[in-house]
Every structure is written in C-alpha cells, then in structure tokens.
Amino acid sequence: FDKNCVTLENKEKFCNDDKKLRFFVNGKENDEFENYVFNDLDKILISYGNEDEIRNQLASITEFAKNH
C-alpha cells in the first residue's frame, strides 16, 4: 500500500491508471499513505475508483468502533 498501488494478499494489484487510488482519514483526503500513523477511532478509506464513487464510499463508513 503506497500512493501508487495496493497489493492484496493474493498478489492482485490495484494501481493508478484509468482509475485512481486515494486514501482518506476521517473524511479528508490524506497523502501520507504508507507513512500514516493510525490513531484510535480513525475512520480509514482506501479507495480505488472514480470520483463519483467516493461520496458513497465515505458515507458507508460507520461509527462501529466507538460502540465497542
């Protein structure tokens, strides 16, 4: 996982090409990617797609961690 690609356990890669890889922390785009130090209750989104999908993806992040 870095600013160019996400590589899954099965070695499948999702890289910046016709779609864009983006990283969000607490609803705001963040360019730290692999260097970001996670904090308790951070809401993280790693998105690979087009601009139209981002709003729905951000809206789908829940408050589940705060309840446990």
Side-chain angles (χ1 to χ4, degrees), residues 3-56:
K3 67 181 179 177
N4 296 310
C5 292
V6 169
T7 304
L8 304 180
E9 285 182 16
N10 67 3
K11 306 295 183 210
E12 185 175 9
K13 285 189 172 192
F14 297 91
C15 299
N16 286 325
D17 50 26
D18 60 322
K19 294 183 181 180
K20 187 172 180 186
L21 179 63
R22 297 171 75 183
F23 178 57
F24 292 83
V25 179
N26 301 320
K28 296 180 182 163
E29 194 158 8
N30 186 301
D31 63 358
E32 293 181 55
F33 289 86
E34 75 274 20
N35 297 314
Y36 182 74
V37 177
F38 293 86
N39 297 298
D40 285 346
L41 302 178
D42 273 350
K43 294 180 184 180
I44 303 296
L45 172 65
I46 300 170
S47 175
Y48 181 73
N50 60 44
E51 192 68 34
D52 296 335
E53 298 168 328
I54 296 296
R55 279 187 275 285
N56 290 336

